[in-house]
Amino acid sequence: MAAKKISLFLLLSIISWGAMAQIIDDSTKLVYGPTSTRYITIGDLKHSDTLYHIMDSSIHNMENFELHRTSVIDYQSLGNNGTALKPVYYQIPTTIGSTTGFSAFEPYVKKVEDFKYYDSKSPFINLHVAIGGKGRSMVDFSFSRNINPQWNVGFDIYHVSSEKQIGTSSIRENQVKSTAADFYAFYRSKNRKYHAMFHAYTNDQVILETGGITEDTPVKEYYEYQDANIYLQNSQSFDKRGRLFLYHQYSLKPFFELYNTIERTNTNNQYTDTPLTQSITDGYYDQILIRTDSTEDASNMIETKIEAGIKGRVADRIFYSAYVKRRDMSFKYRYIEPFTGEYENYLGGDMKIHLTDKYLVGGEIEAMDEGNYYFKGFFENNFLRASYTSSLYEPAFMTERYFGNHYEWSNSFNSTLANSIQGSLFYALPFLYLEPSVDISTVDEYVYFDYDKMPNQSSSPIFINKYTAKANLTLWKHIHLDNRLVWNNVSGDGANAMRMPDWNYFGKVYYENIVFNDFMQFEIGFDLRWQSAYFAKAYDPITQQFFLQDDFEMPSYFTADLFFVMKANDLTFFFNWIYLNQARDSGYFTSPYYPGQRRAIDLGVRWMFFD
C-alpha cells in the first residue's frame, strides 16, 4: 500500500514538473498570479473595508493537512482525522442564544466568515491533495472566475477519507468519509455602491465509531492499534448540514450604509448501532430504554436568521454599526415532541476608533430580549493588545431535554455567565519575536457532562488562568526556532467540571531558503509537541459529548515530525514523517482510550492555476 502511494505521488510530481516547465517557458506571456487574484470576506465588507486581500501562497505549515493540526484553536481529538473534536481550552461562545448542543463535528463545518469572494481577473483554480499514511487522505479543490468586472462565481469541493486506526476488522476499513461542497457568487455595481454575497453550502460527514480501546486492556497492549480490542463495531455517527446565505449592502454615503443578511441552516445529527448484540455483550451501554435490537437516535434543527442594520465610516477614523436581528428555530428529536415556534430577538452594534495610526480602540455588543448578552471591548497599539469580554449565554437544546435509546433527561438550566480579561505584549527584532500573553476568565453556572454522561450545571464559580509565551528566534537569516508554551491553571469550587492540561508546548525548528536563482523556496525541519499528563474528558459517541472521568489519566507525551516543503512557481510539494520518534510498542493518547496517530508518512501537493 505504501509503495502504491509513493508511486502515485512520484507520478503526480513528474506530470506537475512537466506542466510547470511549460509555465516557466511561457512566463513572460503570463500576467496573472497570486497578486492579481484577490478576495474579500463578509467581515471586511460588513466593516466597510473594501481593501482586497491577495492570495496566500506561503509554504509555512503546508506539511499539515488535518484540522486538529492546522487550526489556530488547540483541539482534543480521537486520534484520527475527521473524528470528534473539543477545544482544549475554554472559549466564551459568541452565540448567546440557543444551539443544538451537538458540536463535536462543528469545527469541520465551513463558517460564513471563512468564505472568500474573489476578484480573479482570470479563471483561478487551487488544487490541494494530501495522501496520508495509514489510509488518511484529503482533497481540496477550488474554482473561481469573473464573468465580468461586476460578477464573480465559484465553487469548492472538500473531501476527507480516513481508515480506522484501531480495532479494524479488515485490511482497509473506512472510519471517516466527509464531503463538503459550496457554490458562491459575488456582485458589485459599477459605481461600487451596491454589493452582494451569496453562497449555498452542504457538508455530509459519516463516522464509524469505535468507542475506544476496551477499559480492561492491559497497559502493555495499549498500542496494538489495528489489533486492539474496541467496544463498537457497527455504530455510526452522521452529521449533515446545509446552509443558504445572502448578504447585501447599499452605500448612500461612506458614513451611512444599509445592509441586510438572510441565513437559513439545516442541521441533522444521528447515531445508529445495528444490531446492538455485540455492544450489549461488551457492556458498553449503561441502559436500553426503547429498542433492544438497534439504536437509531436522531435530531434536526432548522434555523432562519435575518439581520438588518446601518453602518459607516466617519472621516476614515471611526467605524460604527447598529442592527436588529431575529432567529426562528425548530428543533426536534426522533422520539419526543419538538421545540417549535422558538424565536429570539436581538439588538447589537460595534464601533472602532482609530485614535492615531497606531492606536485603535473599539468594542461590540449584542443583547437578546431574554436578557442574554455578549460584550467585548479592546485596545491595540504597536506593542500591546488588551480586551475584556463578558457574556451571558443560553444552555443548548440537548442539555435541556433529551430522550434516546440510552439516555433521558429534562432540565431547566440557567444561562452561563462568563468574563475574560486578555492581554498580550509583542516585540519584534530582526532576529527575535516575543509575545507573552495572559487570559484570566471566570465562569459561573457552567453546563457540562458529568460522570454519568448526562448534563449538569455547576453551582460554584470556575477560575481559569492561562499564560502563553511565544518566542520565535531567527539565526543567520535561515534557521528558525518557533516556540509556544502554554501554562494553564483551573481553580475554584467548580474547577472539577473543566479538564485542561497544565502544560502544552508547540515548537517548530526548521531551515528555510530560496535557491536556484530565486526559483525554488523550501523548508526542512521538525514539528514538536509536548503535553503534560491529565485526566481529560472522555468521549460518548451516543450524544457526541465529552464527559468527566477519573479512571484514565492520559500520560504526558512528546512527538516530533520530520517535514520537507518546497515550492517552485505556483506548485508546492510536501513530505511529512509523523511521530518520527515513536518507539516500539509505545504511543500516546489524544483522548481517554483513544490512541493518537502512530508513525506515518504523508505526501501532498498544492497547485494554483491563474490562467
Side-chain angles (χ1 to χ4, degrees):
M1 185 61 192
K4 289 183 179 179
K5 290 181 178 179
I6 293 173
S7 300
L8 177 59
F9 180 75
L10 291 175
L11 179 60
L12 286 172
S13 302
I14 293 169
I15 295 173
S16 301
W17 275 109
M20 189 182 66
Q22 179 64 42
I23 292 174
I24 294 169
D25 291 342
D26 298 338
S27 61
T28 57
K29 302 177 184 178
L30 297 179
V31 294
Y32 304 116
T35 57
S36 66
T37 301
R38 307 174 301 161
Y39 69 89
I40 192 171
T41 68
I42 185 175
D44 299 322
L45 199 55
K46 202 171 182 180
H47 286 86
S48 301
D49 184 356
T50 55
L51 182 65
Y52 286 72
H53 307 273
I54 64 172
M55 292 295 301
D56 179 12
S57 57
S58 167
I59 66 172
H60 197 60
N61 290 327
M62 269 295 297
E63 69 275 9
N64 294 312
F65 68 92
E66 296 171 303
L67 180 64
H68 60 274
R69 293 174 177 266
T70 60
S71 174
V72 295
I73 299 174
D74 301 325
Y75 283 113
Q76 175 185 339
S77 72
L78 303 187
N80 201 5
N81 192 30
T83 55
L85 296 174
K86 181 186 82 68
V88 173
Y89 302 106
Y90 174 76
Q91 295 180 315
I92 297 179
T94 56
T95 301
I96 58 177
S98 298
T99 61
T100 65
F102 294 95
S103 58
F105 300 103
E106 271 187 7
Y108 299 102
V109 178
K110 190 174 182 179
K111 299 179 178 60
V112 169
E113 297 80 9
D114 295 334
F115 273 79
K116 298 177 181 179
Y117 299 89
Y118 289 89
D119 177 14
S120 59
K121 307 298 183 186
S122 63
F124 164 66
I125 293 176
N126 186 11
L127 175 63
H128 186 188
V129 179
I131 305 171
K134 312 303 179 187
R136 298 147 41 250
S137 63
M138 180 276 295
V139 177
D140 189 2
F141 179 86
S142 301
F143 172 83
S144 181
R145 73 165 298 160
N146 278 21
I147 298 175
N148 56 45
Q150 282 71 55
W151 280 96
N152 177 274
V153 297
F155 65 90
D156 304 291
I157 299 173
Y158 181 79
H159 179 75
V160 168
S161 178
S162 302
E163 295 178 7
K164 285 177 68 174
Q165 305 297 304
I166 58 174
T168 57
S169 59
S170 61
I171 297 178
R172 297 183 62 184
E173 185 177 6
N174 277 322
Q175 182 178 15
V176 177
K177 282 189 175 181
S178 175
T179 301
D182 63 69
F183 169 81
Y184 59 87
F186 176 44
Y187 173 79
R188 51 189 180 174
S189 62
K190 288 184 178 181
N191 60 8
R192 298 297 190 264
K193 286 184 175 294
Y194 180 76
H195 291 77
M197 294 173 166
F198 167 81
H199 71 247
Y201 171 78
T202 180
N203 184 63
D204 193 356
Q205 197 158 347
V206 181
I207 303 94
L208 185 63
E209 301 287 1
T210 66
I213 63 174
T214 56
E215 295 182 12
D216 59 359
T217 300
V219 175
K220 64 180 181 179
E221 298 177 8
Y222 274 175
Y223 307 110
E224 292 192 344
Y225 298 101
Q226 291 178 317
D227 295 328
N229 293 321
I230 59 175
Y231 280 109
L232 302 174
Q233 297 290 347
N234 306 306
S235 66
Q236 289 182 296
S237 291
F238 301 85
D239 189 275
K240 186 172 183 178
R241 304 178 187 236
R243 179 173 64 232
L244 294 173
F245 176 84
L246 171 67
Y247 171 86
H248 57 143
Q249 68 174 45
Y250 186 80
S251 177
L252 296 170
K253 292 291 183 180
F255 59 84
F256 191 78
E257 300 174 327
L258 305 172
Y259 78 90
N260 170 240
T261 298
I262 303 173
E263 181 180 350
R264 184 171 177 86
T265 60
N266 192 331
T267 304
N268 290 282
N269 293 94
Q270 188 175 2
Y271 174 81
T272 66
D273 192 350
T274 306
L276 277 175
T277 308
Q278 183 64 44
S279 304
I280 294 175
T281 302
D282 292 340
Y284 186 76
Y285 297 119
D286 299 326
Q287 56 184 345
I288 307 293
L289 301 179
I290 301 172
R291 302 178 58 169
T292 58
D293 62 331
S294 64
T295 294
E296 295 181 355
D297 295 347
S299 69
N300 170 259
M301 178 168 170
I302 298 175
E303 174 189 352
T304 301
K305 181 166 60 178
I306 300 176
E307 179 181 324
I310 59 174
K311 64 188 183 74
R313 287 187 175 273
V314 180
D316 293 330
R317 290 285 185 182
I318 301 173
F319 168 82
Y320 75 92
S321 74
Y323 63 85
V324 294
K325 181 169 68 176
R326 180 180 172 96
R327 294 177 70 207
D328 289 276
M329 295 160 288
S330 172
F331 182 78
K332 61 183 180 181
Y333 293 109
R334 172 161 288 171
Y335 299 113
I336 58 177
E337 290 298 315
F339 296 83
T340 57
E342 298 287 329
Y343 65 89
E344 298 168 350
N345 297 312
Y346 299 80
L347 288 174
D350 69 322
M351 178 173 286
K352 293 181 180 180
I353 303 175
H354 291 267
L355 302 174
T356 69
D357 292 340
K358 296 182 180 179
Y359 287 78
L360 173 65
V361 63
E364 59 180 299
I365 186 169
E366 183 174 79
M368 215 171 84
D369 51 3
E370 295 184 359
N372 292 350
Y373 69 89
Y374 178 87
F375 168 79
K376 182 176 183 178
F378 65 89
F379 171 80
E380 296 179 6
N381 62 20
N382 58 338
F383 65 89
L384 170 69
R385 298 187 190 97
S387 66
Y388 168 71
T389 306
S390 181
S391 180
L392 185 68
Y393 58 92
E394 196 81 4
F397 281 124
M398 70 91 60
T399 62
E400 291 288 270
R401 189 171 61 171
Y402 182 88
F403 181 51
N405 201 29
H406 306 288
Y407 301 109
E408 180 182 13
W409 60 72
S410 180
N411 299 307
S412 183
F413 292 141
N414 297 322
S415 294
T416 299
L417 175 63
N419 293 276
S420 175
I421 298 175
Q422 297 177 316
S424 64
L425 296 169
F426 48 96
Y427 185 71
L429 293 170
F431 64 93
L432 180 65
Y433 175 82
L434 293 174
E435 184 180 349
S437 62
V438 59
D439 184 345
I440 300 174
S441 304
T442 62
V443 185
D444 289 295
E445 299 197 280
Y446 176 63
V447 177
Y448 63 99
F449 279 73
D450 219 327
Y451 294 96
D452 60 1
K453 305 178 186 177
M454 294 196 290
N456 197 359
Q457 186 164 44
S458 175
S459 58
S460 301
I462 303 171
F463 304 97
I464 309 166
N465 295 331
K466 179 185 173 187
Y467 303 92
T468 304
K470 289 183 181 179
N472 298 341
L473 179 64
T474 302
L475 302 174
W476 301 289
K477 297 183 179 181
H478 300 295
I479 299 176
H480 302 268
L481 293 83
D482 297 348
N483 304 276
R484 178 165 66 96
L485 181 66
V486 181
W487 180 71
N488 190 79
N489 176 259
V490 183
S491 60
D493 293 339
N496 188 53
M498 285 194 183
R499 300 294 176 87
M500 310 176 198
D502 291 340
W503 293 95
N504 248 324
Y505 169 75
F506 304 84
K508 193 180 187 76
V509 181
Y510 63 99
Y511 177 85
E512 178 268 337
N513 206 344
I514 302 177
V515 295
F516 303 132
N517 294 322
D518 295 334
F519 173 69
M520 189 183 83
Q521 180 185 6
F522 73 92
E523 289 183 2
I524 184 170
F526 295 91
D527 285 323
L528 310 174
R529 173 75 194 278
W530 173 75
Q531 180 175 280
S532 61
Y534 77 114
F535 285 94
K537 290 185 178 182
Y539 181 66
D540 183 5
I542 304 168
T543 57
Q544 298 179 12
Q545 303 297 323
F546 289 81
F547 64 92
L548 294 181
Q549 61 85 33
D550 290 333
D551 299 321
F552 188 99
E553 182 180 31
M554 292 205 316
S556 63
Y557 68 86
F558 172 78
T559 64
D561 305 338
L562 172 64
F563 70 87
F564 173 74
V565 184
M566 58 161 288
K567 175 188 172 185
N569 206 19
D570 298 322
L571 183 66
T572 302
F573 297 96
F574 77 80
F575 164 92
N576 196 11
W577 195 346
I578 294 177
Y579 200 5
L580 176 67
N581 60 311
Q582 182 178 20
R584 184 181 178 87
D585 299 326
S586 67
Y588 66 99
F589 284 85
T590 55
S591 287
Y593 305 106
Y594 287 87
Q597 178 62 53
R598 55 180 165 158
R599 184 188 297 150
I601 292 178
D602 297 344
L603 305 169
V605 60
R606 180 188 67 188
W607 200 355
M608 306 172 80
F609 302 82
F610 297 98
D611 195 6

